[in-house]
Amino acid sequence: MDKGRGYVAKILVQDGTIHQTDFVLAGANYGRVKAMYNERNQLVTEAGPSSPILLLGLNGAPQAGDTFNVVQSEKEAKDLATKRLQLQREQGLRTQKHITLDEIGRRIAIGDFKELNIILKADVDGSVEALADSLLKLSTPEVQVNVIHKSVGQITESDVLLATASNAVIIGFQVRPSQGARKLAEQEQIDIRLYSIIYDAINELKDAIEGMLSPEIKEKVVCNLEVRETFKISKVGTIAGCFCTEGKINKNTKVRLIRDGIVVYTGALASLKRFKDEVKEVVVGQDCGLNIENFNDIKVGDIIEGYDQIEIKRTLK
């Protein structure tokens, strides 16, 4: 997902010729070709067999390995994509009580659990495939792990609704839920687990499958700030003028910079100011200026999420 260009797909033409403005169907996604770039990043208007192309214009991110076809009209592409999407969702439909990883551990301990459904979202397709393969290998004779849906991009309300219908846990890698998805998940009591290290996700699910409880260290989101202006200062770097929309931030708070639902950078604050004065903390409803250690690619509209790591004692519920 490219902020300036939308969904970008690398494709290899196997048969025939694809032209600019053609209607394309790829997996459960479709669109009209807006632009094509060859392997030298040059704009081209058509591509024949054996041509690798960077394609712009799809309405979503297809899976690596999906076959793409050129179709006659946008209606035909949309109808086929809708049917494929419905088939994908129907495969995972369940009507059971919602479940958390802690509940999974408890059920396994008493021998009352057979299946773990997962919805997987990540920042790039390579991470999706790597995580899906690793999680499927965690299946045991007693517990079957099913990845019922996997895709690129932030966690949306449709993902939460699918989890509601299919009794699934949502795993997010380097992505965050939208505000609507977060609220819906709280209402529906859907378990969303967010990770930035692939081994943390694998190990936590492995612990759950083995009947163990949550890891000892959990992350708690303590604040959200919206970047409203940026200033470049020599010898200092980029200063972000922010508005605190939720919680409170202090100088020692660890932060993530989120752009369009994707985690761009994780690090620490270099400074925190109100007007010209250094301050210890900024609370909801206040403006502030901050800069992030070793990171200057801050843009207007970015979200800065502050979090604390909390140690949780393992207990058997």
Side-chain angles (χ1 to χ4, degrees), residues 65-118:
D66 279 348
T67 301
F68 74 92
N69 302 94
V70 172
V71 295
Q72 292 294 323
S73 65
E74 185 177 14
K75 183 179 184 303
E76 182 183 355
K78 187 175 181 179
D79 290 345
L80 288 169
T82 302
K83 288 177 182 177
R84 290 180 180 180
L85 191 60
Q86 287 175 341
L87 287 172
Q88 286 179 4
R89 290 183 174 177
E90 287 170 5
Q91 289 173 357
L93 287 180
R94 302 286 189 275
T95 53
Q96 301 172 355
K97 180 185 174 184
H98 309 314
I99 198 160
T100 65
L101 286 181
D102 293 341
E103 177 67 4
I104 291 165
R106 186 191 69 79
R107 289 194 184 186
I108 292 172
I110 62 174
D112 184 37
F113 189 66
K114 301 293 182 185
E115 193 174 53
L116 169 58
N117 291 331
I118 294 171

Side-chain angles (χ1 to χ4, degrees), residues 40 57 104-105 107 119 123 139 160 166 171 173 196 199-200 206 221 296 317:
R40 297 181 181 85
I104 291 165
R107 289 194 184 186
I119 294 170
D123 54 345
S139 294
V160 178
S166 57
I171 301 294
F173 179 72
S196 56
Y199 298 109
D200 287 347
K206 185 178 179 182
V221 176
N296 292 313
K317 294 182 180 180

